[in-house]
Amino acid sequence: MVFMKGTKLMPQCGFSNNVVQILNSLGVEFGAFDVLSDFTIREGIKEYSDWPTIPQVYLKGEFLGGSDILIEMYNSGSLKEKIEIELAS
Amino acid sequence: MITKKDVIELITKKIPSSQVFVENLKGNDHLQVTVIASEFNGLSLVKQHQLVYSALKEELASETIHALALKTETPN
């Protein structure tokens, strides 16, 4: 699940776009919520995960990180591995 | 407005052993920050980044820092 600025088809921020491109390139099905459409969620999600920026990526409820971490995990291959494990379980 | 020096000071105050490198990506509110610290040993990437973010909580909330591309490493 991705909390992002904009939508999958129309990301409104470079960092949000990075995350969408990464997940698309892995062929992963994911839900996306446009935090620009709801200020309470935009701020609340930051409190929830103790993470001050958007986008935020969750895999089966577990907070993975933002754009930087997704890129690092994607480049190291650990993102693909983690997703495959989660989807298999 | 925040300077590179301010950012480095804020982070080293929170993470004493850290080496901090700051670059302006765009203007002075889009920053690329690299932090190398032994405090990161054994911490997941998320926890490492949260430690750095906690040092910059006000600046991020007030959008003095609008965007922060962060890289964290442990000294090898």
Side-chain angles (χ1 to χ4, degrees), chain A residues 15 53 68, chain B residues 7 25 29-33 52-53 56 60 65-70:
Chain A
F15 293 116
T53 57
D68 303 329
Chain B
V7 174
L25 289 178
D29 63 355
H30 284 59
L31 303 178
Q32 164 74 48
V33 174
V52 178
Y53 279 133
L56 304 170
L60 284 163
I65 298 176
H66 178 73
L68 177 59
L70 188 52

Side-chain angles (χ1 to χ4, degrees), chain B residues 20-37:
Chain B
V20 186
F21 305 93
V22 181
E23 288 309 318
N24 287 330
L25 289 178
K26 194 173 70 174
N28 48 40
D29 63 355
H30 284 59
L31 303 178
Q32 164 74 48
V33 174
T34 303
V35 183
I36 302 168

Side-chain angles (χ1 to χ4, degrees), chain A residues 15 49-52 64 68-69, chain B residues 46 49-50 53 60 67-68 70:
Chain A
F15 293 116
S49 58
D50 186 20
W51 190 263
L64 288 189
D68 303 329
I69 289 179
Chain B
V46 171
H49 285 216
Q50 279 173 327
Y53 279 133
L60 284 163
L68 177 59
L70 188 52

Side-chain angles (χ1 to χ4, degrees), chain A residues 19-48:
Chain A
V19 164
V20 170
Q21 297 312 324
I22 285 172
L23 294 174
N24 284 342
S25 74
L26 289 174
V28 179
E29 251 313 299
F30 64 97
F33 182 87
D34 178 5
V35 298
L36 297 177
S37 67
D38 185 321
F39 186 76
T40 330
I41 290 187
R42 176 178 182 170
E43 292 313 311
I45 194 76
K46 293 175 188 175
E47 291 298 321
Y48 172 75

Side-chain angles (χ1 to χ4, degrees), chain A residues 37-88:
Chain A
S37 67
D38 185 321
F39 186 76
T40 330
I41 290 187
R42 176 178 182 170
E43 292 313 311
I45 194 76
K46 293 175 188 175
E47 291 298 321
Y48 172 75
S49 58
D50 186 20
W51 190 263
T53 57
I54 298 293
Q56 294 186 14
V57 182
Y58 292 79
L59 178 58
K60 285 206 170 178
E62 181 200 347
F63 178 56
L64 288 189
S67 174
D68 303 329
I69 289 179
L70 257 289
I71 291 168
E72 266 189 60
M73 286 178 75
Y74 177 70
N75 291 336
S76 72
S78 62
L79 179 60
K80 188 170 189 296
E81 196 185 303
K82 195 166 176 63
I83 288 173
E84 278 161 2
I85 293 167
E86 285 298 328
L87 293 185

